[in-house]
Amino acid sequence: MTAAPKASVCVLGTGLIGGSLLRAAVAAGYDAWGFNRSATGAGAARADGFDVTEDLPTVLTRAAAADALLVLAVPMPAVGRLLSAVATFAPHCALTDVVSVKAPVAAAVRKEGLAARYVGGHPMAGTAESGWAATDPELFRDAVWAVGVDEGTRAEPWTTVTRLALDCGAVVVPVVADEHDRAVARISHLPHVLAEALAVAGAAGGDLALGLAAGSFRDGTRVAGTAPDLVRAICEPNSGALLDVLDETLTLLGAARDSLRADNSLAELVEAGHDARQRYETAQRWEITDIHPGDHNWLAKLRDAGQRGGVITRLN
């Protein structure tokens, strides 16, 4: 049986994630083009041989004519403006995104009447760099790519989005929006906040402290090198879930402080942390092979499989 033809792909936003996706899609044989609001950014992409323009209506009109998959690749504050343009120029195209939160994007999609063809997405990849110059077609290689299985998701666009993620080199984790946002508050957004706090604490020690800083400080503060506006755009739209996990973390730190003051001991926190890290190191993925898009109850089955550590590595 021959494979289904690849959909055309239109990437809206060609910074680190969107630009890397455009590079990876072209490398995988997709007909792909993009939009960037900045003329400088669009020009840099064109200089590297990629079809990117700052003319949004033209890009979307072309996407509508080609029945392309639209990929929103901008920070959350810019999503509404792009969706309004999509609703005007390409309302019938399949639609996904690579934004770091899913529930607010889904709400914005529904507001514009675009939910019927929408499938949420979030590749768990990135660096502290930004802009076209930081893009890398291998950014998603062996990375996890969350793909939405929320109620109402349709099999055809879901398959298109999943195939793109796989063709970019990722493995797919099926997940619903609210559960995704609670999870990334713990493993992505909280680390950003802690990295900022650690960087401030280190710098407060002056030149001596920074001169002595080595691997643990470097690794712990890596994401603090991300542009502040981008960190805010990543974390603040998920404030509810982030506040919950910040409260948990402050409770842990408060208990450690009290134990250190009373007993000169960090044993409880250190042992629990070590055990948690070992759980992360030894976590086993397993391949989802027996659930097919469009089958009875397929969304619920995929959601359950994703919750239990299942991943998709190929489409049958």
Side-chain angles (χ1 to χ4, degrees):
M1 186 174 72
T2 59
K6 297 179 189 290
S8 297
V9 174
C10 175
V11 182
L12 305 176
T14 56
L16 171 64
I17 303 300
S20 295
L21 193 158
L22 178 61
R23 286 184 179 273
V26 169
Y30 284 82
D31 178 25
W33 62 92
F35 159 80
N36 194 286
R37 183 181 64 174
S38 161
T40 300
R46 287 195 300 271
D48 283 345
F50 292 86
D51 187 355
V52 178
T53 178
E54 59 272 30
D55 185 345
L56 182 58
T58 296
V59 163
L60 291 175
T61 300
R62 176 181 174 184
D67 194 25
L69 170 64
L70 301 176
V71 183
L72 300 178
V74 295
M76 187 64 215
V79 164
R81 182 182 67 87
L82 277 187
L83 286 175
S84 178
V86 170
T88 299
F89 295 102
H92 303 298
C93 285
L95 177 66
T96 189
D97 71 286
V98 291
V99 182
S100 63
V101 288
K102 297 276 65 75
V105 176
V109 167
R110 289 191 298 270
K111 182 179 178 181
E112 293 292 343
L114 299 169
R117 301 277 287 164
Y118 171 69
V119 179
H122 181 202
M124 303 301 298
T127 71
E129 306 301 318
S130 60
W132 177 264
T135 59
D136 178 1
E138 294 295 306
L139 183 67
F140 311 110
R141 184 68 54 190
D142 298 323
V144 167
W145 196 309
V147 176
V149 289
D150 297 86
E151 184 177 353
T153 299
R154 298 185 180 184
E156 182 183 356
W158 185 90
T159 300
T160 299
V161 171
T162 298
R163 180 172 288 117
L164 175 62
L166 296 175
D167 286 343
C168 288
V171 299
V172 167
V173 172
V175 64
V176 299
D178 288 343
E179 292 174 1
H180 167 277
D181 291 355
R182 289 194 294 271
V184 297
R186 294 179 179 278
I187 53 81
S188 177
H189 303 164
L190 177 65
H192 273 286
V193 175
L194 295 179
E196 307 291 357
L198 179 57
V200 171
D207 292 342
L208 175 60
L210 295 177
L212 293 172
S216 59
F217 184 79
R218 180 196 64 232
D219 295 344
T221 60
R222 180 184 65 81
V223 294
T226 307
D229 286 349
L230 182 56
V231 174
R232 293 185 62 192
I234 289 170
C235 296
E236 290 174 357
N238 202 24
S239 60
L242 182 54
L243 282 168
D244 287 343
V245 71
L246 273 172
D247 284 342
E248 288 183 22
T249 304
L250 289 170
T251 297
L252 283 172
L253 291 173
R257 176 203 58 207
D258 293 345
S259 176
L260 187 63
R261 177 183 292 132
D263 303 316
N264 198 35
S265 174
L266 292 173
E268 185 173 350
L269 177 62
V270 169
E271 290 169 8
H274 182 268
D275 290 346
R277 174 69 188 194
Q278 290 300 112
R279 181 179 176 187
Y280 166 72
E281 293 282 1
T282 59
Q284 295 292 317
R285 296 173 177 169
W286 56 273
E287 189 170 356
I288 303 168
T289 59
D290 57 349
I291 305 170
H292 305 288
D295 286 354
H296 175 68
N297 214 27
W298 67 283
L299 291 169
K301 290 177 180 177
L302 282 176
R303 174 186 181 180
D304 175 69
Q307 289 173 330
R308 294 185 290 109
V311 299
I312 297 166
T313 63
R314 57 190 174 90
L315 286 173
N316 297 323

PDB file of all heavy atoms in Angstrom, residues 2 18-19 23 96 100-101 124 156 163 169 180-181 185 192 199 206 236 252 271:
ATOM      1  N   THR A   2       0.627   2.177  -0.898  1.00  0.00           N
ATOM      2  CA  THR A   2       1.441   3.390  -0.965  1.00  0.00           C
ATOM      3  C   THR A   2       1.076   4.335   0.156  1.00  0.00           C
ATOM      4  O   THR A   2      -0.076   4.398   0.602  1.00  0.00           O
ATOM      5  CB  THR A   2       1.235   4.092  -2.316  1.00  0.00           C
ATOM      6  OG1 THR A   2      -0.151   4.415  -2.459  1.00  0.00           O
ATOM      7  CG2 THR A   2       1.677   3.203  -3.460  1.00  0.00           C
ATOM      8  N   GLY A  18       9.397  27.460  15.103  1.00  0.00           N
ATOM      9  CA  GLY A  18       8.770  27.459  13.796  1.00  0.00           C
ATOM     10  C   GLY A  18       9.776  27.350  12.662  1.00  0.00           C
ATOM     11  O   GLY A  18       9.560  26.615  11.680  1.00  0.00           O
ATOM     12  N   GLY A  19      10.894  28.065  12.773  1.00  0.00           N
ATOM     13  CA  GLY A  19      11.913  27.987  11.738  1.00  0.00           C
ATOM     14  C   GLY A  19      12.558  26.616  11.666  1.00  0.00           C
ATOM     15  O   GLY A  19      12.827  26.097  10.575  1.00  0.00           O
ATOM     16  N   ARG A  23      12.482  24.055   8.471  1.00  0.00           N
ATOM     17  CA  ARG A  23      13.677  23.376   7.962  1.00  0.00           C
ATOM     18  C   ARG A  23      13.482  21.856   7.956  1.00  0.00           C
ATOM     19  O   ARG A  23      13.815  21.176   6.968  1.00  0.00           O
ATOM     20  CB  ARG A  23      14.884  23.728   8.823  1.00  0.00           C
ATOM     21  CG  ARG A  23      15.451  25.141   8.621  1.00  0.00           C
ATOM     22  CD  ARG A  23      16.695  25.300   9.484  1.00  0.00           C
ATOM     23  NE  ARG A  23      17.339  26.595   9.357  1.00  0.00           N
ATOM     24  CZ  ARG A  23      18.251  26.906   8.428  1.00  0.00           C
ATOM     25  NH1 ARG A  23      18.597  25.996   7.523  1.00  0.00           N
ATOM     26  NH2 ARG A  23      18.809  28.104   8.407  1.00  0.00           N
ATOM     27  N   THR A  96      -2.736  23.490  13.439  1.00  0.00           N
ATOM     28  CA  THR A  96      -2.078  23.042  14.662  1.00  0.00           C
ATOM     29  C   THR A  96      -1.223  24.184  15.186  1.00  0.00           C
ATOM     30  O   THR A  96      -1.233  25.292  14.650  1.00  0.00           O
ATOM     31  CB  THR A  96      -1.249  21.767  14.428  1.00  0.00           C
ATOM     32  OG1 THR A  96      -0.800  21.241  15.690  1.00  0.00           O
ATOM     33  CG2 THR A  96      -0.051  22.029  13.541  1.00  0.00           C
ATOM     34  N   SER A 100       3.496  26.672  23.922  1.00  0.00           N
ATOM     35  CA  SER A 100       3.854  25.903  25.123  1.00  0.00           C
ATOM     36  C   SER A 100       2.686  25.620  26.049  1.00  0.00           C
ATOM     37  O   SER A 100       2.850  24.890  27.027  1.00  0.00           O
ATOM     38  CB  SER A 100       4.952  26.644  25.907  1.00  0.00           C
ATOM     39  OG  SER A 100       4.479  27.903  26.358  1.00  0.00           O
ATOM     40  N   VAL A 101       1.523  26.202  25.789  1.00  0.00           N
ATOM     41  CA  VAL A 101       0.308  25.871  26.538  1.00  0.00           C
ATOM     42  C   VAL A 101      -0.761  25.481  25.534  1.00  0.00           C
ATOM     43  O   VAL A 101      -0.768  25.951  24.399  1.00  0.00           O
ATOM     44  CB  VAL A 101      -0.183  27.035  27.420  1.00  0.00           C
ATOM     45  CG1 VAL A 101       0.716  27.233  28.615  1.00  0.00           C
ATOM     46  CG2 VAL A 101      -0.330  28.312  26.610  1.00  0.00           C
ATOM     47  N   MET A 124       8.465  19.205  22.626  1.00  0.00           N
ATOM     48  CA  MET A 124       9.233  19.472  23.840  1.00  0.00           C
ATOM     49  C   MET A 124      10.707  19.551  23.473  1.00  0.00           C
ATOM     50  O   MET A 124      11.508  18.646  23.716  1.00  0.00           O
ATOM     51  CB  MET A 124       8.972  18.379  24.880  1.00  0.00           C
ATOM     52  CG  MET A 124       7.509  18.214  25.257  1.00  0.00           C
ATOM     53  SD  MET A 124       6.762  19.728  25.927  1.00  0.00           S
ATOM     54  CE  MET A 124       7.759  19.969  27.390  1.00  0.00           C
ATOM     55  N   GLU A 156      -8.746  12.949  10.545  1.00  0.00           N
ATOM     56  CA  GLU A 156      -7.931  13.366   9.396  1.00  0.00           C
ATOM     57  C   GLU A 156      -6.890  14.416   9.770  1.00  0.00           C
ATOM     58  O   GLU A 156      -5.687  14.212   9.499  1.00  0.00           O
ATOM     59  CB  GLU A 156      -8.832  13.880   8.275  1.00  0.00           C
ATOM     60  CG  GLU A 156      -8.051  14.291   7.036  1.00  0.00           C
ATOM     61  CD  GLU A 156      -8.936  14.864   5.940  1.00  0.00           C
ATOM     62  OE1 GLU A 156     -10.172  14.874   6.110  1.00  0.00           O
ATOM     63  OE2 GLU A 156      -8.394  15.324   4.916  1.00  0.00           O
ATOM     64  N   ARG A 163       1.716  12.824  11.577  1.00  0.00           N
ATOM     65  CA  ARG A 163       2.692  12.447  10.554  1.00  0.00           C
ATOM     66  C   ARG A 163       3.790  13.504  10.434  1.00  0.00           C
ATOM     67  O   ARG A 163       4.971  13.173  10.284  1.00  0.00           O
ATOM     68  CB  ARG A 163       1.989  12.234   9.210  1.00  0.00           C
ATOM     69  CG  ARG A 163       2.957  11.830   8.091  1.00  0.00           C
ATOM     70  CD  ARG A 163       2.226  11.444   6.827  1.00  0.00           C
ATOM     71  NE  ARG A 163       1.564  10.141   6.987  1.00  0.00           N
ATOM     72  CZ  ARG A 163       0.251   9.958   6.938  1.00  0.00           C
ATOM     73  NH1 ARG A 163      -0.552  10.981   6.754  1.00  0.00           N
ATOM     74  NH2 ARG A 163      -0.256   8.751   7.083  1.00  0.00           N
ATOM     75  N   GLY A 169      11.159  13.806  13.046  1.00  0.00           N
ATOM     76  CA  GLY A 169      12.069  13.026  13.869  1.00  0.00           C
ATOM     77  C   GLY A 169      11.628  12.817  15.303  1.00  0.00           C
ATOM     78  O   GLY A 169      12.358  12.205  16.084  1.00  0.00           O
ATOM     79  N   HIS A 180      -1.982  18.357  29.679  1.00  0.00           N
ATOM     80  CA  HIS A 180      -0.715  18.856  29.145  1.00  0.00           C
ATOM     81  C   HIS A 180      -0.244  20.072  29.918  1.00  0.00           C
ATOM     82  O   HIS A 180       0.919  20.154  30.331  1.00  0.00           O
ATOM     83  CB  HIS A 180      -0.882  19.221  27.667  1.00  0.00           C
ATOM     84  CG  HIS A 180       0.244  20.027  27.109  1.00  0.00           C
ATOM     85  ND1 HIS A 180       0.311  21.403  27.261  1.00  0.00           N
ATOM     86  CD2 HIS A 180       1.354  19.676  26.409  1.00  0.00           C
ATOM     87  CE1 HIS A 180       1.410  21.849  26.685  1.00  0.00           C
ATOM     88  NE2 HIS A 180       2.059  20.840  26.157  1.00  0.00           N
ATOM     89  N   ASP A 181      -1.138  21.025  30.139  1.00  0.00           N
ATOM     90  CA  ASP A 181      -0.739  22.274  30.780  1.00  0.00           C
ATOM     91  C   ASP A 181      -0.308  22.060  32.223  1.00  0.00           C
ATOM     92  O   ASP A 181       0.641  22.695  32.703  1.00  0.00           O
ATOM     93  CB  ASP A 181      -1.883  23.290  30.703  1.00  0.00           C
ATOM     94  CG  ASP A 181      -2.125  23.763  29.279  1.00  0.00           C
ATOM     95  OD1 ASP A 181      -1.360  23.389  28.369  1.00  0.00           O
ATOM     96  OD2 ASP A 181      -3.098  24.514  29.067  1.00  0.00           O
ATOM     97  N   ALA A 185       3.660  22.675  33.407  1.00  0.00           N
ATOM     98  CA  ALA A 185       3.938  23.590  34.513  1.00  0.00           C
ATOM     99  C   ALA A 185       5.033  23.015  35.408  1.00  0.00           C
ATOM    100  O   ALA A 185       5.870  23.757  35.933  1.00  0.00           O
ATOM    101  CB  ALA A 185       2.664  23.844  35.327  1.00  0.00           C
ATOM    102  N   HIS A 192      11.916  27.131  34.423  1.00  0.00           N
ATOM    103  CA  HIS A 192      12.246  28.498  34.020  1.00  0.00           C
ATOM    104  C   HIS A 192      12.271  29.421  35.237  1.00  0.00           C
ATOM    105  O   HIS A 192      13.199  30.225  35.412  1.00  0.00           O
ATOM    106  CB  HIS A 192      11.221  29.012  33.002  1.00  0.00           C
ATOM    107  CG  HIS A 192      11.552  28.668  31.584  1.00  0.00           C
ATOM    108  ND1 HIS A 192      12.553  29.301  30.886  1.00  0.00           N
ATOM    109  CD2 HIS A 192      11.012  27.755  30.736  1.00  0.00           C
ATOM    110  CE1 HIS A 192      12.615  28.800  29.667  1.00  0.00           C
ATOM    111  NE2 HIS A 192      11.694  27.859  29.549  1.00  0.00           N
ATOM    112  N   ALA A 199      19.786  32.130  39.150  1.00  0.00           N
ATOM    113  CA  ALA A 199      20.699  33.098  38.540  1.00  0.00           C
ATOM    114  C   ALA A 199      20.802  34.359  39.386  1.00  0.00           C
ATOM    115  O   ALA A 199      21.898  34.903  39.591  1.00  0.00           O
ATOM    116  CB  ALA A 199      20.219  33.441  37.127  1.00  0.00           C
ATOM    117  N   GLY A 206      28.171  38.276  43.921  1.00  0.00           N
ATOM    118  CA  GLY A 206      29.223  39.111  43.361  1.00  0.00           C
ATOM    119  C   GLY A 206      30.196  38.334  42.479  1.00  0.00           C
ATOM    120  O   GLY A 206      29.974  37.178  42.116  1.00  0.00           O
ATOM    121  N   GLU A 236       3.505  32.757  31.668  1.00  0.00           N
ATOM    122  CA  GLU A 236       2.359  33.487  32.203  1.00  0.00           C
ATOM    123  C   GLU A 236       1.011  32.994  31.700  1.00  0.00           C
ATOM    124  O   GLU A 236       0.028  33.004  32.458  1.00  0.00           O
ATOM    125  CB  GLU A 236       2.541  34.983  31.950  1.00  0.00           C
ATOM    126  CG  GLU A 236       3.655  35.579  32.806  1.00  0.00           C
ATOM    127  CD  GLU A 236       3.952  37.043  32.476  1.00  0.00           C
ATOM    128  OE1 GLU A 236       3.326  37.591  31.528  1.00  0.00           O
ATOM    129  OE2 GLU A 236       4.825  37.636  33.155  1.00  0.00           O
ATOM    130  N   LEU A 252       8.046  22.524  49.833  1.00  0.00           N
ATOM    131  CA  LEU A 252       9.215  21.652  49.925  1.00  0.00           C
ATOM    132  C   LEU A 252      10.442  22.419  50.414  1.00  0.00           C
ATOM    133  O   LEU A 252      11.181  21.960  51.307  1.00  0.00           O
ATOM    134  CB  LEU A 252       9.518  21.038  48.566  1.00  0.00           C
ATOM    135  CG  LEU A 252       8.654  19.879  48.087  1.00  0.00           C
ATOM    136  CD1 LEU A 252       9.003  19.547  46.636  1.00  0.00           C
ATOM    137  CD2 LEU A 252       8.859  18.658  48.970  1.00  0.00           C
ATOM    138  N   GLU A 271      17.052  13.062  49.604  1.00  0.00           N
ATOM    139  CA  GLU A 271      16.723  11.670  49.278  1.00  0.00           C
ATOM    140  C   GLU A 271      15.502  11.581  48.368  1.00  0.00           C
ATOM    141  O   GLU A 271      15.482  10.780  47.416  1.00  0.00           O
ATOM    142  CB  GLU A 271      16.505  10.887  50.575  1.00  0.00           C
ATOM    143  CG  GLU A 271      17.803  10.671  51.352  1.00  0.00           C
ATOM    144  CD  GLU A 271      17.576  10.134  52.758  1.00  0.00           C
ATOM    145  OE1 GLU A 271      16.420   9.782  53.070  1.00  0.00           O
ATOM    146  OE2 GLU A 271      18.552  10.077  53.524  1.00  0.00           O
TER     147      GLU A 271
END
